[in-house]
């Protein structure tokens, strides 16, 4: 620190200058001039999004190197899972070359080791789980050192215009150091975030120790079990399950080892101590210097495990004298709303078919006779007059698969065409009315306590293209969730953009059955294990909650045309469908005109 009096700060700044000279003298011989190795922000962003691999894939295709092209496409896709064209390219590679094992060339090794350790743990292969999880921890702490160093590079001062920046010496130093410190503090999030994701795996680092404490117990290494339990408790000192386990391990060691000599791991203590000090300094800066900062907790212990496998810190399948570790997952935070189902269907002709349990899932319902055969035919007639190829997908006629043509239309477009006389107004009005009927049924069946609003309404048809149906192994619509980005490898669904995170419920109302293929399917989070398959037919409706609990897709339509009304709903009025509001206004106007014409004894059809 700078000393007192005039010139007291010279030793401090002397060390700063020597450090700067050291860094510069190391960089230039190894990396060349600064202009050669400090890339522009746009270039860095492209590399972070793995954009070069998209170009690499195309280049490898031109060279007829399909194996390399497939790996490049897979590497790009891992950071851009919403990219439908790359997803289709991958399916094509698998079908043409039979290649199933693809390599992510930018995979973070500590993440790969962690995932492998968890897989072995779930299979009760505890020795292998220990090997991979210990390797993952070594990789994590090594990556943490790299992350800390990288934060000492150039920083962006978003709150300041450079030419107007008038801060004094120590203010300028503080401004820059706070940027560096915030970056270092964020390494916890960075190291727990998979490529292409925004949200980290919550509780990521502590979970390593949580898995390890029980794995070591199962292989009979009680010293390591206690060491890892105590390491976990550094992060969550009030976790009753692990506290109980630690007490049990202590009892097992009595008479052989003094449990008091077994400490939490040094690297965990060091990281946590540093993290707390960083947080303190950032909060001081926020309070005294006006630095914008919000402390986030990425070690929420209820965040990471959302599958049906065991969570290591709660076990009850052991004998009564063993640690009480239950093979069920830890309690999750309560959802924003209480999940219910089984409410009235409101319309006497609507027939209940299956509930969530019968469909092997959560918040699912299958209904028949939502609309009649005549209404299906009428909807089909209006569809042929208003649908546009690629509607809703920026004009891409085959947005999900090159083997089908996709067409669609919105409620507002149907009503406008009806008002202009381009399709029968009665048919256009039917599209509006049946979508409202579906909304009311969904709101009632799931016993929602607040209003369900339309988020998007789309009349869609998928048509099999002739000459392209042989040996198809792709899907009409790939497996996905409606309000989050499905990540099958991580067994997660990330509720973040570009997903429509505001969607709460979904429904599909089918119009016909005279086609081949096209079954609607639910799957597990792995996007492979099918839990329910539904054959569309006129008047059948499937509805479900829109989150990661309900991954779904559509099997290939191999012959004919499959049509349905697709509906997405939200409980947040801020995200009401704008076209639906405009459609409501059109309906109100039409009803007013109808009333006026009726009072004058004029048939509205005559006017149209």
């Amino acid at each position: 620190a700078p000393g007192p009096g005039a010139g007291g700060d010279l030793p401090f700044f002397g060390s700063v200058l020597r450090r700067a000279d050291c860094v510069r003298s190391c960089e230039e011989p190894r990396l060349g001039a600064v202009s050669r190795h400090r890339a522009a922000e746009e270039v860095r962003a492209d590399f972070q999004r793995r954009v070069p691999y998209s170009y690499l894939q195309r280049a490898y295709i031109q060279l007829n190197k399909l194996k390399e092209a497939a790996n490049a496409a897979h590497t790009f896709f891992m950071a851009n899972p919403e990219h439908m064209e790359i997803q289709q390219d991958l399916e094509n590679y698998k079908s043409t070359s039979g290649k199933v094992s693809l390599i992510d060339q930018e995979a973070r090794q500590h993440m790969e080791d962690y995932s492998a350790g968890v897989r072995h743990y779930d299979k009760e292969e505890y020795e292998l789980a220990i090997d991979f999880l210990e390797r993952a921890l070594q990789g994590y702490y090594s990556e943490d050192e790299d992350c800390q160093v990288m934060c000492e590079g150039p920083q962006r001062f978003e709150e300041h215009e450079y030419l107007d920046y008038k801060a004094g010496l120590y203010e300028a130093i503080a401004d820059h150091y706070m940027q560096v410190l915030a970056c270092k503090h964020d390494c916890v999030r960075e190291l727990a975030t998979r490529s292409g994701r925004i949200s980290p795996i919550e509780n990521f680092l502590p979970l390593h120790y949580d898995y390890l404490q029980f794995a070591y117990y199962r292989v009979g290494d009680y010293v390591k079990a206690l060491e890892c339990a105590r390491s976990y408790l550094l992060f969550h000192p009030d976790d009753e399950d692990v506290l109980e386990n630690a007490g049990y391990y202590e009892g097992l060691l009595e008479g052989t080892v003094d449990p008091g000599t077994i400490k939490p791991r040094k690297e965990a203590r060091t990281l946590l101590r540093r993290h707390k000090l960083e947080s303190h300094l950032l909060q001081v800066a926020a309070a005294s210097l006006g630095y914008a900062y919000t402390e986030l907790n990425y070690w929420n212990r209820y965040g990471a495990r959302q599958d049906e496998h065991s969570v290591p810190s709660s076990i009850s399948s052991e004998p009564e004298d063993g640690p009480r570790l239950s093979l069920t997952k830890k309690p999750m935070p309560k959802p924003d709303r209480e999940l219910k189902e089984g409410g009235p269907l409101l319309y006497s002709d609507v027939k209940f078919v299956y509930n969530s349990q019968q469909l092997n899932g959560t918040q699912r319902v299958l209904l028949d006779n939502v609309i009649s055969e005549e209404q299906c035919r009428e909807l089909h007639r209006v569809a042929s007059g208003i649908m546009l190829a690629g509607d809703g997908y920026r004009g891409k006629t085959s947005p999900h698969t090159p083997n089908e043509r996709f067409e669609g239309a919105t409620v507002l477009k149907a009503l406008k065409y009806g008002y202009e006389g381009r399709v029968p107004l009665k048919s256009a009005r039917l599209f509006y009315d049946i979508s409202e009927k579906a909304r009311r049924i969904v709101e009632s069946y799931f016993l929602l306590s607040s209003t369900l609003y339309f988020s998007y309404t789309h009349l869609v048809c998928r048509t099999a293209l002739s000459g392209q149906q042989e040996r198809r192994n792709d899907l009409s619509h790939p497996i996905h969730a409606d309000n989050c980005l499905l990540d099958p490898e991580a067994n997660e669904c990330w509720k973040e953009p570009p997903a429509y995170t505001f969607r709460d419920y979904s429904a599909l109302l089918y119009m016909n059955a005279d086609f081949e293929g096209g079954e609607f399917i639910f799957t597990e989070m792995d996007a492979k294990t099918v839990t329910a398959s539904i054959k569309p037919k006129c008047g059948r409706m499937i509805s479900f909650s829109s989150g990661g609990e309900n991954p779904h897709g559509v099997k290939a339509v191999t012959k004919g045309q499959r049509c349905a009304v697709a509906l997405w709903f939200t409980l947040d009025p801020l995200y009401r469908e704008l076209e639906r509001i405009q459609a409501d206004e059109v309906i109100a106007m039409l009803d007013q005109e109808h009333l006026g014409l009726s009072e004058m004894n004029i048939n509205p059809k005559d006017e149209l």
Side-chain angles (χ1 to χ4, degrees), residues 443-455:
E443 182 182 81
S444 176
Y445 179 79
F446 289 112
L447 297 167
L448 302 178
S449 57
S450 57
T451 303
L452 195 64
Y453 301 96
F454 287 97
S455 167

Side-chain angles (χ1 to χ4, degrees), residues 96 164 184 186 197 243 343 366 368 389 443 446 470 541:
T96 56
D164 298 330
K184 290 185 173 186
D186 197 50
R197 302 278 57 82
L243 282 169
L366 183 65
D368 278 343
E443 182 182 81
F446 289 112
E470 288 187 15
M541 184 173 83

Side-chain angles (χ1 to χ4, degrees), residues 23-262:
V23 171
R24 183 69 59 85
S25 63
C26 287
E27 279 186 347
E28 290 195 0
R30 296 190 180 194
L31 303 176
V34 169
S35 60
R36 293 181 59 189
H37 65 80
R38 291 191 178 172
E41 192 68 29
E42 294 79 8
V43 175
R44 291 167 63 89
D46 280 350
F47 271 82
Q48 191 171 9
R49 291 171 45 234
R50 304 187 180 183
V51 171
Y53 285 97
S54 178
Y55 292 106
L56 264 178
Q57 180 213 189
R58 300 301 174 192
Y60 280 130
I61 289 175
Q62 295 300 317
L63 295 172
N64 199 31
K65 295 183 176 181
L66 293 185
K67 177 181 177 180
E68 291 83 354
N71 285 331
H74 177 67
T75 302
F76 175 80
F77 182 69
M78 293 307 295
N80 301 272
E82 74 285 353
H83 201 290
M84 291 294 183
E85 291 179 12
I86 290 290
Q87 188 172 11
Q88 187 57 54
D89 288 342
L90 287 171
E91 294 297 328
N92 292 340
Y93 289 133
K94 292 176 183 178
S95 62
T96 56
S97 66
K99 183 175 177 62
V100 177
S101 178
L102 297 171
I103 299 172
D104 178 2
Q105 294 170 324
E106 294 287 336
R108 306 175 78 171
Q109 194 57 49
H110 75 283
M111 283 272 190
E112 297 294 301
D113 289 337
Y114 171 79
S115 297
V118 172
R119 286 196 296 271
H120 286 300
Y121 178 92
D122 289 339
K123 296 176 183 177
E124 300 186 8
E125 298 168 349
Y126 295 111
E127 291 185 352
L128 286 171
I130 288 169
D131 289 343
F132 278 101
L133 289 168
E134 291 287 14
R135 196 185 309 168
L137 277 175
Q138 292 178 7
Y140 181 96
Y141 287 111
S142 176
E143 287 279 331
D144 180 65
E145 288 182 14
D146 291 345
C147 183
Q148 297 283 314
V149 171
M150 293 300 292
C151 286
E152 295 178 1
Q155 298 294 325
R156 295 178 61 188
F157 295 85
E158 298 179 357
E159 298 180 10
H160 303 295
E161 289 292 335
Y162 177 75
L163 295 177
D164 298 330
Y165 191 53
K166 306 297 184 185
L169 174 63
Y170 289 104
E171 290 174 302
I173 292 173
D175 277 342
H176 190 96
Y177 183 66
M178 284 302 103
Q179 300 279 345
V180 172
L181 190 61
C183 175
K184 290 185 173 186
H185 195 60
D186 197 50
C187 286
V188 167
R189 181 199 61 79
E190 171 67 20
L191 295 181
T193 304
R194 294 182 183 275
S195 298
R197 302 278 57 82
I198 297 173
S199 305
I201 300 173
E202 293 188 29
N203 205 29
F204 181 63
L205 177 58
L207 270 175
H208 289 69
Y209 297 109
D210 198 7
Y211 282 113
L212 281 169
Q213 58 97 8
F214 186 57
Y216 275 121
Y217 162 72
R218 293 303 294 264
V219 299
D221 192 336
Y222 306 136
V223 171
K224 289 287 184 68
L226 181 57
E227 178 188 69
C228 291
R230 287 180 171 171
S231 299
Y232 178 87
L233 289 169
L234 290 173
F235 301 91
H236 303 301
D238 59 344
D239 189 307
E240 294 181 0
D241 292 327
V242 181
L243 282 169
E244 196 168 328
N245 290 355
Y248 179 77
Y249 303 148
E250 290 173 6
L252 291 174
L253 292 171
E254 281 185 6
T256 57
V257 177
D258 179 7
T261 64
I262 301 172

